[in-house]
Amino acid sequence: MNILLAGCTTDLGGLLNSKIKERLHAMISLHGSARNLTREMEHLRCYRKDKENEVKNLEKQNYQMKRTETVVDWLKSVDDLGDKVNEFELYLNGPQAGAGEASSSSAGAADRGGCMLQRWGIRMGIVIKLSGEVADLIGEVRDLRKEGDGIKKLVNEAAEAATETCDIQMVGEDANQALDAIHGHLADDKVGIIGIYGMGGVGKSTLLKRIKHEYTYSTQEFSRVLWAEVTRQVDLDELSEDPSKKAVDIERLRNGIGKDLPRSSSGWTAESLKEALRASGRFLLLLENVWDKLDLEMIGIPNPDVYNRCKIIFTTRSDGVRKDMNAAGVKLSRLTDEEAFKLFKQHLNNDLLLDTCQNAANIIVRECHGLPLALIVMARVMRNKNFAGDWFDTVDVLQDPRTKFDDGVLGEGSVFKVLRYSYWHLKDEWRPCLVYCSLFHNSSTGIDREELIDYWIGEGFFDSDGSVPDIKVARRKGRDIINQLVSTCLLERSSTEDDKVKMHGLIHDMAIKIANNEMLVYPDSMTKGEQKGENWEVVKRISLSGSKISKLPIKKCPNLVTLLLKNCEGLSDIPDKFFDRIPALCVLDLSNTLVEELPRGISNLKQLRHLNLSRTRIKSLPVEVSALTRLIQLDMSYTRELKEIPSEAISGHEELRTLNMFRSNYRSWVWDASNPQRGVSLSDLEGLLKLRELSLNISEHSNFVDLLESEISQLIVRLHLEGFQGITPETRFDVLENLREFYISNIMDLDTLVLKRKWLLNLEAVRFSSLSVSSVSICEETRTFPVCRLTRVEISRCNNLKDLSWAKFVDSMQILSVDRCKKLKVVLAGGDGDQGAEKPRFNALKSITLTGLPKLERFSDCNMEISCVPSITVEDCPLLTGDFVYSDKDGKQVKISYQNCRKAKQVVTGD
């Protein structure tokens, strides 16, 4: 038989592709192919180890460097595949593999004269199935090896990796003199307000970030350093008005200032903000992007004076605004020709190329008009042009008068053509992604990376030949594009949060001009002409996010594909006919509005792919949603009033990839075939064959058991368990191998919780609240593998918990919050003398919050290593005394004294 099959394989070899050959070979010699699989998988594991060691060495060389998302995803993919191979080998070598033969033997015993063909068919069926699996696994191993070979960039450069670099360099003598002037003003009690002014792109924000870093991490002069961006409000009834005349959005500004104050709230008033600022002691308030005089009293900001010694620094493009604010002036001017060339050379980073193209380089630098932003962007573009002819082609484009934009505010239009040139040298697939980012220009908190990628997926930016790609592949591609846009300085990292990016004002203005009336963004101070002449027939994208609108106009927008109404907290009603006029809509975001129900007309959105209803007040998902047959992303997280979801509203969505119901109020997950009006159940979710990401809220133990036993358990990325009994240390949490966020609350019969490696591989955030648990631990196997993704740990109201020693192994932790745990005596228990214990290292720790801990005596029993000084907030911890002690990245011991621990106190530096 083997000879016959081998002969057939040879004869048909010219007609069969390689994959079919592999399957035939595997069928001929199943165990031989299995040995090949084991050998190739072992080679891949060794290759993975080498690659990870290389990454670790680079990270050790510079603690600011951070492995790329591509590397993280590839390492995880190898681990996942290794688990699959192990499971296959166990099956192949176990009794199951012979089940078919045993079955056929018993059949033969029953009928010895019988059906040899039937017995042979059963056995061959199993062989064919297993041979197909082994061939597929070998293919996956080889594909991952090729993918690993293609990863050239293992870590982000320090300048790219650090959200807020520990050494922000000022460019040019003028900028350094400005920095010195600000230092002088800050030391002068007679100066309370300082205004940094100059044209866009000259470096005002960079200077403000430098001040923020210096006075947050390097001195003890201020008890609080606060940062907020000034934005404008909008009323939908006045869309055509000049947006530069809009009033400042006072509510958002108050929230921006108050977000880092103790007991902050989403509804700051002038009085409450003023009281909180006064209670915080001497503060330094940094305000970015001020366009008009601010009424400090109306906002709730105490006036700086010689008694409180508080300071306010703001940036503006207008010296007039600076004078109106009675602020000491610090002007930033453009770079000199020599400084500009030096900066261009630094970011080009290719002296040989620069020498070859010296004359062209001089012209390019001159066309950047001494603006650091334009110089850096152009240098990044020219890195990839290796021939002198390419450089002179660039000069021709920049000097062509036909490419010049109309002058913008303060005559900045001349630099737009430089920025536009960098735009046209992006890859084709990156350009719409950059233009899309201009929808978020006025977001003072930055643009959420994952949310942005979801919008891109919703618009179909990553589709191939009309088909939706795998959601993980699409997200990986989106992260790569964002990283590339950051590396070219067309986007910038948020100064406060790793998971967000921002767009510079000039880049935003350029993107709006390129959109050419297809984009409407309100409020916006730089698109007067476009907003006065809106053409609803051609507009493709509208963002009203964060505005004060209370009603929506019924406009005919046949080409509208994105509508963002996020954070429109006054919006409660959607007109019945509203959706009839926007048939091409693909992305609809209604999150964090007061909307209570969706009109029936939503069924007209036949092209809708992304629907975000999170944090709305909807009580029921209408059946009409079933008509949205192209829907691939549905977000109903934090819908605290949602009670009804008809089965047919969900079960028919064959294209759905992501369903997010994390911390929703929906609880009816039980299948009830006798009830035709039943709600959606776990069984319905199993029928969504293309679903890849699922986030749920479970409040019954039986539902949780059903979930763990279901195939959809491997799709869970966020899970909230609350208010039931029955969880034990033996509960198989490890089947939730793709879990990223885990919240468990109000479970009072749980005494011990053991965290295992497979469960922790993807986990990014954990929150334990109101549990009876007295012990949380990490199993021994996990301790040998660093927990590389868990960044947020929040513990509250766990009154039997005495320590959080397991957190020592979470080297990736960025945020640690412990609140109202009555018996907690030490956070990181276990001293340096523990056998085999390694010094805990926290490379990314940013924030530690300790509140309401009456028995807390100390933070740690061991010597820790922390790369950057964390923000520490302590409140109502009466026994906490002494010092917070750790070693910095250079091994130097740092001590921080706890001060006034009965009240909120942020300690930001040490000796």
Side-chain angles (χ1 to χ4, degrees), residues 365-398:
V365 169
R366 189 164 60 247
E367 288 294 324
C368 291
H369 299 277
L371 293 180
L373 175 65
L375 288 160
I376 293 171
V377 169
M378 281 304 299
R380 300 288 177 93
V381 171
M382 302 311 293
R383 279 181 184 177
N384 299 318
K385 296 185 178 296
N386 298 316
F387 300 101
D390 295 334
W391 282 63
F392 282 104
D393 287 343
T394 300
V395 169
D396 291 341
V397 172
L398 295 180

Side-chain angles (χ1 to χ4, degrees), residues 345-613:
K345 178 180 179 180
Q346 175 188 338
H347 285 271
L348 181 68
N349 196 27
N350 189 330
D351 291 345
L352 180 61
L353 181 61
L354 191 59
D355 291 341
T356 305
C357 307
Q358 180 80 43
N359 293 334
N362 289 331
I363 298 173
I364 292 172
V365 169
R366 189 164 60 247
E367 288 294 324
C368 291
H369 299 277
L371 293 180
L373 175 65
L375 288 160
I376 293 171
V377 169
M378 281 304 299
R380 300 288 177 93
V381 171
M382 302 311 293
R383 279 181 184 177
N384 299 318
K385 296 185 178 296
N386 298 316
F387 300 101
D390 295 334
W391 282 63
F392 282 104
D393 287 343
T394 300
V395 169
D396 291 341
V397 172
L398 295 180
Q399 293 187 327
D400 188 342
R402 293 172 297 177
T403 65
K404 185 176 180 178
F405 280 104
D406 292 335
D407 281 351
V409 174
L410 302 180
E412 291 158 355
S414 59
V415 79
F416 282 170
K417 62 181 179 182
V418 174
L419 301 178
R420 187 177 68 169
Y421 182 83
S422 66
Y423 167 81
W424 285 112
H425 278 74
L426 294 174
K427 291 184 179 179
D428 290 346
E429 60 187 352
W430 297 359
R431 291 179 202 151
C433 296
L434 178 67
V435 172
Y436 200 97
C437 293
S438 63
L439 287 171
F440 307 90
H441 176 60
N442 286 292
S443 176
S444 59
T445 57
I447 308 170
D448 185 281
R449 289 169 174 260
E450 296 303 314
E451 182 178 72
L452 177 61
I453 293 170
D454 283 343
Y455 292 148
W456 290 347
I457 294 172
E459 278 226 14
F461 286 175
F462 307 137
D463 288 5
S464 178
D465 297 327
S467 62
V468 181
D470 178 82
I471 199 74
K472 291 184 178 180
V473 173
R475 291 194 193 285
R476 189 183 306 171
K477 190 170 185 178
R479 294 185 193 112
D480 183 61
I481 290 175
I482 290 175
N483 289 335
Q484 294 296 336
L485 293 175
V486 169
S487 70
T488 57
C489 293
L490 294 173
L491 289 181
E492 55 189 78
R493 295 180 182 276
S494 168
S495 60
T496 55
E497 297 178 74
D498 281 336
D499 56 357
K500 294 186 178 182
V501 292
K502 296 180 70 176
M503 178 177 261
H504 190 279
L506 285 182
I507 305 295
H508 167 265
D509 302 339
M510 175 200 69
I512 288 291
K513 287 179 178 294
I514 288 173
N516 192 25
N517 293 328
E518 293 182 350
M519 191 96 72
L520 294 180
V521 185
Y522 301 98
D524 190 320
S525 60
M526 294 292 292
T527 56
K528 305 173 186 177
E530 289 85 344
Q531 293 183 4
K532 287 180 179 178
E534 309 103 334
N535 186 339
W536 298 103
E537 296 287 332
V538 301
V539 68
K540 289 187 176 181
R541 301 180 182 97
I542 296 177
S543 174
L544 297 170
S545 296
S547 66
K548 304 294 183 183
I549 61 170
S550 58
K551 59 182 179 180
L552 296 172
I554 300 179
K555 301 275 189 179
K556 186 177 181 180
C557 303
N559 294 304
L560 186 66
V561 291
T562 287
L563 177 59
L564 305 183
L565 299 170
K566 179 180 181 180
N567 296 327
C568 294
E569 297 179 356
L571 181 62
S572 60
D573 181 59
I574 300 177
D576 289 339
K577 302 295 184 181
F578 180 74
F579 293 129
D580 297 353
R581 299 294 190 94
I582 48 176
L585 198 68
C586 295
V587 175
L588 175 61
D589 191 342
L590 295 167
S591 61
N592 202 29
T593 63
L594 301 180
V595 172
E596 296 183 1
E597 62 179 348
L598 297 176
R600 293 183 176 182
I602 196 170
S603 61
N604 293 318
L605 302 181
K606 303 297 185 182
Q607 305 302 313
L608 195 66
R609 292 162 44 120
H610 175 101
L611 176 59
N612 191 338
L613 302 172

Side-chain angles (χ1 to χ4, degrees), residues 275-317:
E275 182 180 350
L277 285 170
R278 284 174 173 167
S280 67
R282 190 187 184 205
F283 65 81
L284 171 60
L285 176 59
L286 307 175
L287 300 175
E288 186 178 16
N289 199 27
V290 175
W291 285 87
D292 299 292
K293 179 182 177 181
L294 298 177
D295 187 333
L296 301 182
E297 186 70 24
M298 183 176 66
I299 297 170
I301 303 172
N303 272 299
D305 55 39
V306 294
Y307 301 104
N308 60 36
R309 301 178 63 233
C310 297
K311 303 285 184 178
I312 298 173
I313 306 178
F314 65 90
T315 63
T316 180
R317 297 187 186 184

Side-chain angles (χ1 to χ4, degrees), residues 119-362:
R119 295 198 304 272
W120 183 84
I122 293 173
R123 184 175 182 183
M124 285 304 299
I126 294 176
V127 170
I128 291 171
K129 179 177 181 296
L130 293 177
S131 63
E133 290 183 14
V134 74
D136 288 342
L137 288 171
I138 289 174
E140 289 184 48
V141 170
R142 292 172 180 172
D143 288 344
L144 274 178
R145 176 58 190 252
K146 290 179 181 178
E147 186 177 335
D149 290 338
I151 300 175
K152 304 303 181 185
K153 189 175 184 180
L154 302 180
V155 295
N156 286 322
E157 298 174 9
E160 300 169 13
T163 302
E164 184 174 19
T165 128
C166 292
D167 187 19
I168 300 173
Q169 298 295 324
M170 303 311 300
V171 178
E173 182 179 354
D174 185 73
N176 283 288
Q177 289 176 352
L179 180 61
D180 291 339
I182 292 174
H183 287 155
H185 290 320
L186 290 174
D188 186 352
D189 289 342
K190 296 179 181 178
V191 177
I193 305 177
I194 304 164
I196 305 171
Y197 65 100
M199 67 179 298
V202 80
K204 300 185 300 295
S205 295
T206 300
L207 180 54
L208 202 64
K209 290 175 184 176
R210 171 65 180 259
I211 293 297
K212 178 180 184 291
H213 178 79
E214 282 190 13
Y215 288 85
T216 298
Y217 298 110
S218 304
T219 77
Q220 290 182 314
E221 293 186 37
F222 297 96
S223 59
R224 293 259 178 204
V225 178
L226 305 169
W227 177 293
E229 183 176 353
V230 182
T231 57
R232 300 175 185 277
Q233 64 184 9
V234 66
D235 186 328
L236 194 63
D237 295 330
E238 303 172 346
L239 285 185
S240 297
E241 288 189 8
D242 182 349
S244 66
K245 298 178 181 177
K246 300 290 184 184
V248 170
D249 191 332
I250 299 297
E251 183 179 346
R252 181 176 292 189
L253 179 55
R254 287 174 183 152
N255 290 336
I257 296 170
K259 67 180 182 297
D260 292 324
L261 291 172
R263 304 194 183 282
S264 61
S265 121
S266 59
W268 288 101
T269 63
E271 290 185 2
S272 63
L273 181 61
K274 183 178 292 186
E275 182 180 350
L277 285 170
R278 284 174 173 167
S280 67
R282 190 187 184 205
F283 65 81
L284 171 60
L285 176 59
L286 307 175
L287 300 175
E288 186 178 16
N289 199 27
V290 175
W291 285 87
D292 299 292
K293 179 182 177 181
L294 298 177
D295 187 333
L296 301 182
E297 186 70 24
M298 183 176 66
I299 297 170
I301 303 172
N303 272 299
D305 55 39
V306 294
Y307 301 104
N308 60 36
R309 301 178 63 233
C310 297
K311 303 285 184 178
I312 298 173
I313 306 178
F314 65 90
T315 63
T316 180
R317 297 187 186 184
S318 169
D319 187 32
V321 172
R322 193 269 305 175
K323 292 176 180 176
D324 290 341
M325 294 280 292
N326 293 319
V330 177
K331 182 179 180 180
L332 271 185
S333 300
R334 306 183 192 193
L335 300 178
T336 65
D337 291 344
E338 182 181 350
E339 291 168 343
F341 191 86
K342 183 178 179 181
L343 181 63
F344 181 83
K345 178 180 179 180
Q346 175 188 338
H347 285 271
L348 181 68
N349 196 27
N350 189 330
D351 291 345
L352 180 61
L353 181 61
L354 191 59
D355 291 341
T356 305
C357 307
Q358 180 80 43
N359 293 334
N362 289 331

Side-chain angles (χ1 to χ4, degrees), residues 794-833:
E794 298 181 25
I795 313 292
S796 66
R797 299 179 184 272
C798 295
N799 291 326
N800 293 327
L801 204 58
K802 295 182 179 180
D803 65 66
L804 297 175
S805 56
W806 63 275
K808 291 188 296 185
F809 303 99
V810 186
D811 57 353
S812 56
M813 183 164 56
Q814 296 181 14
I815 297 173
L816 173 63
S817 175
V818 189
D819 175 47
R820 287 171 288 182
C821 297
K822 294 181 179 179
K823 295 183 180 180
L824 194 77
K825 292 185 176 182
V826 57
V827 180
L828 302 183
D832 295 329

Side-chain angles (χ1 to χ4, degrees), residues 106-123:
S106 60
D111 184 9
R112 294 189 180 278
C115 193
M116 293 181 62
L117 183 60
Q118 181 181 5
R119 295 198 304 272
W120 183 84
I122 293 173
R123 184 175 182 183

